[in-house]
mmCIF file of all heavy atoms in Angstrom:
data_model
loop_
_atom_site.group_PDB
_atom_site.id
_atom_site.type_symbol
_atom_site.label_atom_id
_atom_site.label_comp_id
_atom_site.label_asym_id
_atom_site.label_seq_id
_atom_site.Cartn_x
_atom_site.Cartn_y
_atom_site.Cartn_z
ATOM 1 N N ARG A 1177 53.928 -3.683 34.210
ATOM 2 C CA ARG A 1177 55.088 -3.283 33.400
ATOM 3 C C ARG A 1177 56.363 -3.549 34.187
ATOM 4 O O ARG A 1177 56.589 -2.944 35.237
ATOM 5 C CB ARG A 1177 55.000 -1.798 33.045
ATOM 6 C CG ARG A 1177 53.709 -1.412 32.381
ATOM 7 C CD ARG A 1177 53.682 -1.892 30.936
ATOM 8 N NE ARG A 1177 52.433 -1.496 30.297
ATOM 9 C CZ ARG A 1177 51.572 -2.363 29.782
ATOM 10 N NH1 ARG A 1177 51.809 -3.646 29.840
ATOM 11 N NH2 ARG A 1177 50.471 -1.935 29.215
ATOM 12 N N GLN A 1178 57.198 -4.438 33.661
ATOM 13 C CA GLN A 1178 58.388 -4.865 34.400
ATOM 14 C C GLN A 1178 59.370 -3.737 34.666
ATOM 15 O O GLN A 1178 60.075 -3.740 35.669
ATOM 16 C CB GLN A 1178 59.087 -6.045 33.726
ATOM 17 C CG GLN A 1178 59.561 -5.808 32.327
ATOM 18 C CD GLN A 1178 58.543 -6.247 31.291
ATOM 19 O OE1 GLN A 1178 57.352 -6.311 31.545
ATOM 20 N NE2 GLN A 1178 59.027 -6.539 30.098
ATOM 21 N N TRP A 1179 59.429 -2.723 33.805
ATOM 22 C CA TRP A 1179 60.371 -1.641 34.054
ATOM 23 C C TRP A 1179 60.019 -0.867 35.323
ATOM 24 O O TRP A 1179 60.892 -0.268 35.938
ATOM 25 C CB TRP A 1179 60.488 -0.700 32.857
ATOM 26 C CG TRP A 1179 59.233 0.005 32.482
ATOM 27 C CD1 TRP A 1179 58.716 1.126 33.071
ATOM 28 C CD2 TRP A 1179 58.322 -0.364 31.458
ATOM 29 N NE1 TRP A 1179 57.538 1.477 32.468
ATOM 30 C CE2 TRP A 1179 57.265 0.584 31.461
ATOM 31 C CE3 TRP A 1179 58.279 -1.387 30.523
ATOM 32 C CZ2 TRP A 1179 56.206 0.527 30.585
ATOM 33 C CZ3 TRP A 1179 57.218 -1.436 29.643
ATOM 34 C CH2 TRP A 1179 56.198 -0.496 29.686
ATOM 35 N N ARG A 1180 58.766 -0.885 35.717
ATOM 36 C CA ARG A 1180 58.410 -0.226 36.985
ATOM 37 C C ARG A 1180 59.085 -0.937 38.160
ATOM 38 O O ARG A 1180 59.514 -0.296 39.117
ATOM 39 C CB ARG A 1180 56.898 -0.209 37.169
ATOM 40 C CG ARG A 1180 56.206 0.725 36.214
ATOM 41 C CD ARG A 1180 54.718 0.832 36.529
ATOM 42 N NE ARG A 1180 54.052 1.628 35.519
ATOM 43 C CZ ARG A 1180 53.048 1.210 34.769
ATOM 44 N NH1 ARG A 1180 52.563 -0.006 34.929
ATOM 45 N NH2 ARG A 1180 52.514 1.989 33.864
ATOM 46 N N LEU A 1181 59.146 -2.258 38.075
ATOM 47 C CA LEU A 1181 59.832 -3.027 39.122
ATOM 48 C C LEU A 1181 61.329 -2.737 39.087
ATOM 49 O O LEU A 1181 61.946 -2.488 40.122
ATOM 50 C CB LEU A 1181 59.572 -4.523 38.935
ATOM 51 C CG LEU A 1181 58.130 -4.971 39.123
ATOM 52 C CD1 LEU A 1181 57.939 -6.399 38.624
ATOM 53 C CD2 LEU A 1181 57.713 -4.853 40.578
ATOM 54 N N ALA A 1182 61.893 -2.783 37.893
ATOM 55 C CA ALA A 1182 63.333 -2.530 37.759
ATOM 56 C C ALA A 1182 63.688 -1.122 38.223
ATOM 57 O O ALA A 1182 64.644 -0.938 38.986
ATOM 58 C CB ALA A 1182 63.761 -2.742 36.304
ATOM 59 N N ASP A 1183 62.932 -0.146 37.778
ATOM 60 C CA ASP A 1183 63.226 1.242 38.144
ATOM 61 C C ASP A 1183 63.080 1.494 39.640
ATOM 62 O O ASP A 1183 63.746 2.366 40.197
ATOM 63 C CB ASP A 1183 62.303 2.213 37.388
ATOM 64 C CG ASP A 1183 62.604 2.251 35.890
ATOM 65 O OD1 ASP A 1183 63.663 1.739 35.469
ATOM 66 O OD2 ASP A 1183 61.760 2.790 35.149
ATOM 67 N N SER A 1184 62.226 0.729 40.307
ATOM 68 C CA SER A 1184 61.977 0.937 41.731
ATOM 69 C C SER A 1184 62.912 0.144 42.636
ATOM 70 O O SER A 1184 63.240 0.607 43.726
ATOM 71 C CB SER A 1184 60.534 0.558 42.070
ATOM 72 O OG SER A 1184 59.628 1.361 41.357
ATOM 73 N N TYR A 1185 63.315 -1.061 42.207
ATOM 74 C CA TYR A 1185 63.953 -1.968 43.155
ATOM 75 C C TYR A 1185 65.364 -2.433 42.815
ATOM 76 O O TYR A 1185 66.098 -2.824 43.729
ATOM 77 C CB TYR A 1185 63.063 -3.199 43.360
ATOM 78 C CG TYR A 1185 61.683 -2.838 43.861
ATOM 79 C CD1 TYR A 1185 60.544 -3.135 43.116
ATOM 80 C CD2 TYR A 1185 61.512 -2.165 45.067
ATOM 81 C CE1 TYR A 1185 59.276 -2.785 43.575
ATOM 82 C CE2 TYR A 1185 60.245 -1.813 45.523
ATOM 83 C CZ TYR A 1185 59.136 -2.125 44.769
ATOM 84 O OH TYR A 1185 57.891 -1.774 45.225
ATOM 85 N N LEU A 1186 65.755 -2.427 41.556
ATOM 86 C CA LEU A 1186 67.090 -2.923 41.229
ATOM 87 C C LEU A 1186 68.164 -2.073 41.887
ATOM 88 O O LEU A 1186 68.094 -0.847 41.890
ATOM 89 C CB LEU A 1186 67.310 -2.970 39.719
ATOM 90 C CG LEU A 1186 66.593 -4.086 38.980
ATOM 91 C CD1 LEU A 1186 66.907 -4.033 37.485
ATOM 92 C CD2 LEU A 1186 66.945 -5.458 39.537
ATOM 93 N N GLY A 1187 69.141 -2.753 42.490
ATOM 94 C CA GLY A 1187 70.237 -2.060 43.150
ATOM 95 C C GLY A 1187 69.912 -1.553 44.540
ATOM 96 O O GLY A 1187 70.673 -0.770 45.101
ATOM 97 N N THR A 1188 68.804 -2.007 45.117
ATOM 98 C CA THR A 1188 68.403 -1.550 46.453
ATOM 99 C C THR A 1188 68.414 -2.711 47.446
ATOM 100 O O THR A 1188 68.597 -3.862 47.072
ATOM 101 C CB THR A 1188 66.973 -0.957 46.422
ATOM 102 O OG1 THR A 1188 66.043 -2.015 46.155
ATOM 103 C CG2 THR A 1188 66.846 0.144 45.374
ATOM 104 N N ARG A 1189 68.176 -2.390 48.714
ATOM 105 C CA ARG A 1189 68.034 -3.427 49.733
ATOM 106 C C ARG A 1189 66.886 -4.374 49.410
ATOM 107 O O ARG A 1189 66.927 -5.549 49.767
ATOM 108 C CB ARG A 1189 67.789 -2.805 51.108
ATOM 109 C CG ARG A 1189 69.006 -2.185 51.683
ATOM 110 C CD ARG A 1189 68.743 -1.625 53.049
ATOM 111 N NE ARG A 1189 69.982 -0.956 53.444
ATOM 112 C CZ ARG A 1189 70.178 -0.400 54.593
ATOM 113 N NH1 ARG A 1189 69.236 -0.398 55.499
ATOM 114 N NH2 ARG A 1189 71.315 0.172 54.869
ATOM 115 N N THR A 1190 65.868 -3.846 48.750
ATOM 116 C CA THR A 1190 64.744 -4.703 48.375
ATOM 117 C C THR A 1190 65.226 -5.840 47.490
ATOM 118 O O THR A 1190 64.891 -7.004 47.724
ATOM 119 C CB THR A 1190 63.646 -3.884 47.661
ATOM 120 O OG1 THR A 1190 63.177 -2.878 48.562
ATOM 121 C CG2 THR A 1190 62.498 -4.761 47.230
ATOM 122 N N GLU A 1191 66.017 -5.535 46.477
ATOM 123 C CA GLU A 1191 66.543 -6.588 45.602
ATOM 124 C C GLU A 1191 67.367 -7.592 46.412
ATOM 125 O O GLU A 1191 67.215 -8.806 46.249
ATOM 126 C CB GLU A 1191 67.398 -5.987 44.489
ATOM 127 C CG GLU A 1191 67.978 -7.062 43.567
ATOM 128 C CD GLU A 1191 68.952 -6.536 42.532
ATOM 129 O OE1 GLU A 1191 69.307 -5.341 42.566
ATOM 130 O OE2 GLU A 1191 69.367 -7.348 41.686
ATOM 131 N N LYS A 1192 68.221 -7.105 47.304
ATOM 132 C CA LYS A 1192 69.047 -8.005 48.126
ATOM 133 C C LYS A 1192 68.180 -8.903 48.997
ATOM 134 O O LYS A 1192 68.439 -10.102 49.126
ATOM 135 C CB LYS A 1192 70.002 -7.188 48.997
ATOM 136 C CG LYS A 1192 71.093 -6.508 48.211
ATOM 137 C CD LYS A 1192 71.933 -5.616 49.102
ATOM 138 C CE LYS A 1192 72.837 -4.759 48.247
ATOM 139 N NZ LYS A 1192 73.255 -3.535 48.886
ATOM 140 N N GLU A 1193 67.141 -8.330 49.602
ATOM 141 C CA GLU A 1193 66.282 -9.136 50.469
ATOM 142 C C GLU A 1193 65.470 -10.160 49.679
ATOM 143 O O GLU A 1193 65.157 -11.231 50.191
ATOM 144 C CB GLU A 1193 65.371 -8.256 51.308
ATOM 145 C CG GLU A 1193 66.091 -7.509 52.409
ATOM 146 C CD GLU A 1193 66.885 -8.407 53.351
ATOM 147 O OE1 GLU A 1193 66.448 -9.541 53.647
ATOM 148 O OE2 GLU A 1193 67.963 -7.982 53.800
ATOM 149 N N LEU A 1194 65.126 -9.841 48.442
ATOM 150 C CA LEU A 1194 64.447 -10.832 47.595
ATOM 151 C C LEU A 1194 65.357 -12.040 47.368
ATOM 152 O O LEU A 1194 64.914 -13.188 47.426
ATOM 153 C CB LEU A 1194 64.036 -10.207 46.259
ATOM 154 C CG LEU A 1194 62.893 -9.205 46.347
ATOM 155 C CD1 LEU A 1194 62.783 -8.399 45.052
ATOM 156 C CD2 LEU A 1194 61.579 -9.896 46.673
ATOM 157 N N ARG A 1195 66.626 -11.782 47.154
ATOM 158 C CA ARG A 1195 67.590 -12.887 46.999
ATOM 159 C C ARG A 1195 67.686 -13.694 48.302
ATOM 160 O O ARG A 1195 67.790 -14.909 48.277
ATOM 161 C CB ARG A 1195 68.953 -12.358 46.582
ATOM 162 C CG ARG A 1195 68.957 -11.742 45.209
ATOM 163 C CD ARG A 1195 70.338 -11.255 44.804
ATOM 164 N NE ARG A 1195 70.288 -10.380 43.665
ATOM 165 C CZ ARG A 1195 70.118 -10.757 42.409
ATOM 166 N NH1 ARG A 1195 69.975 -12.037 42.148
ATOM 167 N NH2 ARG A 1195 70.073 -9.885 41.423
ATOM 168 N N HIS A 1196 67.620 -13.002 49.437
ATOM 169 C CA HIS A 1196 67.678 -13.701 50.728
ATOM 170 C C HIS A 1196 66.456 -14.587 50.942
ATOM 171 O O HIS A 1196 66.561 -15.639 51.584
ATOM 172 C CB HIS A 1196 67.831 -12.709 51.885
ATOM 173 C CG HIS A 1196 69.173 -12.050 51.948
ATOM 174 N ND1 HIS A 1196 70.354 -12.746 51.999
ATOM 175 C CD2 HIS A 1196 69.513 -10.730 51.963
ATOM 176 C CE1 HIS A 1196 71.367 -11.904 52.042
ATOM 177 N NE2 HIS A 1196 70.881 -10.671 52.013
ATOM 178 N N VAL A 1197 65.301 -14.177 50.428
ATOM 179 C CA VAL A 1197 64.108 -15.033 50.522
ATOM 180 C C VAL A 1197 64.422 -16.385 49.869
ATOM 181 O O VAL A 1197 64.140 -17.442 50.443
ATOM 182 C CB VAL A 1197 62.875 -14.373 49.855
ATOM 183 C CG1 VAL A 1197 61.720 -15.374 49.726
ATOM 184 C CG2 VAL A 1197 62.428 -13.149 50.639
ATOM 185 N N LEU A 1198 65.019 -16.359 48.693
ATOM 186 C CA LEU A 1198 65.377 -17.608 48.009
ATOM 187 C C LEU A 1198 66.453 -18.358 48.787
ATOM 188 O O LEU A 1198 66.365 -19.580 48.942
ATOM 189 C CB LEU A 1198 65.859 -17.316 46.586
ATOM 190 C CG LEU A 1198 64.792 -16.784 45.635
ATOM 191 C CD1 LEU A 1198 65.431 -16.397 44.306
ATOM 192 C CD2 LEU A 1198 63.679 -17.793 45.429
ATOM 193 N N ASN A 1199 67.462 -17.639 49.283
ATOM 194 C CA ASN A 1199 68.542 -18.298 50.030
ATOM 195 C C ASN A 1199 68.035 -18.993 51.290
ATOM 196 O O ASN A 1199 68.646 -19.953 51.754
ATOM 197 C CB ASN A 1199 69.632 -17.291 50.393
ATOM 198 C CG ASN A 1199 70.428 -16.859 49.177
ATOM 199 O OD1 ASN A 1199 70.492 -17.566 48.176
ATOM 200 N ND2 ASN A 1199 71.014 -15.676 49.242
ATOM 201 N N ARG A 1200 66.923 -18.520 51.835
ATOM 202 C CA ARG A 1200 66.307 -19.173 52.998
ATOM 203 C C ARG A 1200 65.407 -20.331 52.579
ATOM 204 O O ARG A 1200 64.752 -20.949 53.417
ATOM 205 C CB ARG A 1200 65.473 -18.165 53.796
ATOM 206 C CG ARG A 1200 66.260 -17.097 54.501
ATOM 207 C CD ARG A 1200 65.403 -16.310 55.493
ATOM 208 N NE ARG A 1200 64.219 -15.701 54.933
ATOM 209 C CZ ARG A 1200 64.150 -14.471 54.426
ATOM 210 N NH1 ARG A 1200 65.236 -13.721 54.393
ATOM 211 N NH2 ARG A 1200 63.020 -13.986 53.963
ATOM 212 N N GLY A 1201 65.329 -20.598 51.281
ATOM 213 C CA GLY A 1201 64.494 -21.692 50.794
ATOM 214 C C GLY A 1201 63.079 -21.278 50.462
ATOM 215 O O GLY A 1201 62.200 -22.112 50.266
ATOM 216 N N GLY A 1202 62.831 -19.967 50.368
ATOM 217 C CA GLY A 1202 61.495 -19.468 50.060
ATOM 218 C C GLY A 1202 61.165 -19.550 48.583
ATOM 219 O O GLY A 1202 61.912 -20.104 47.780
ATOM 220 N N VAL A 1203 60.032 -18.960 48.239
ATOM 221 C CA VAL A 1203 59.539 -18.993 46.862
ATOM 222 C C VAL A 1203 59.226 -17.581 46.392
ATOM 223 O O VAL A 1203 58.687 -16.771 47.152
ATOM 224 C CB VAL A 1203 58.295 -19.910 46.731
ATOM 225 C CG1 VAL A 1203 57.178 -19.460 47.654
ATOM 226 C CG2 VAL A 1203 57.805 -19.985 45.287
ATOM 227 N N ILE A 1204 59.602 -17.288 45.157
ATOM 228 C CA ILE A 1204 59.223 -16.043 44.507
ATOM 229 C C ILE A 1204 58.467 -16.416 43.247
ATOM 230 O O ILE A 1204 58.950 -17.212 42.435
ATOM 231 C CB ILE A 1204 60.439 -15.160 44.173
ATOM 232 C CG1 ILE A 1204 61.129 -14.710 45.468
ATOM 233 C CG2 ILE A 1204 60.021 -13.955 43.335
ATOM 234 C CD1 ILE A 1204 62.368 -13.869 45.263
ATOM 235 N N ALA A 1205 57.275 -15.853 43.106
ATOM 236 C CA ALA A 1205 56.449 -16.129 41.931
ATOM 237 C C ALA A 1205 56.007 -14.827 41.310
ATOM 238 O O ALA A 1205 55.919 -13.797 41.982
ATOM 239 C CB ALA A 1205 55.226 -16.965 42.326
ATOM 240 N N GLY A 1206 55.729 -14.889 40.017
ATOM 241 C CA GLY A 1206 55.240 -13.703 39.342
ATOM 242 C C GLY A 1206 54.592 -14.034 38.030
ATOM 243 O O GLY A 1206 54.939 -15.011 37.374
ATOM 244 N N SER A 1207 53.634 -13.198 37.678
ATOM 245 C CA SER A 1207 52.907 -13.345 36.434
ATOM 246 C C SER A 1207 53.206 -12.149 35.535
ATOM 247 O O SER A 1207 53.271 -11.015 36.015
ATOM 248 C CB SER A 1207 51.406 -13.409 36.728
ATOM 249 O OG SER A 1207 50.669 -13.413 35.548
#
Side-chain angles (χ1 to χ4, degrees):
R1177 306 285 181 240
Q1178 60 266 25
W1179 62 81
R1180 290 186 186 122
L1181 294 168
D1183 291 347
S1184 299
Y1185 302 118
L1186 286 181
T1188 68
R1189 286 182 185 184
T1190 299
E1191 179 186 7
K1192 290 175 191 156
E1193 288 305 324
L1194 289 166
R1195 294 181 195 283
H1196 289 305
V1197 169
L1198 293 174
N1199 289 337
R1200 292 192 304 269
V1203 58
I1204 295 178
S1207 174

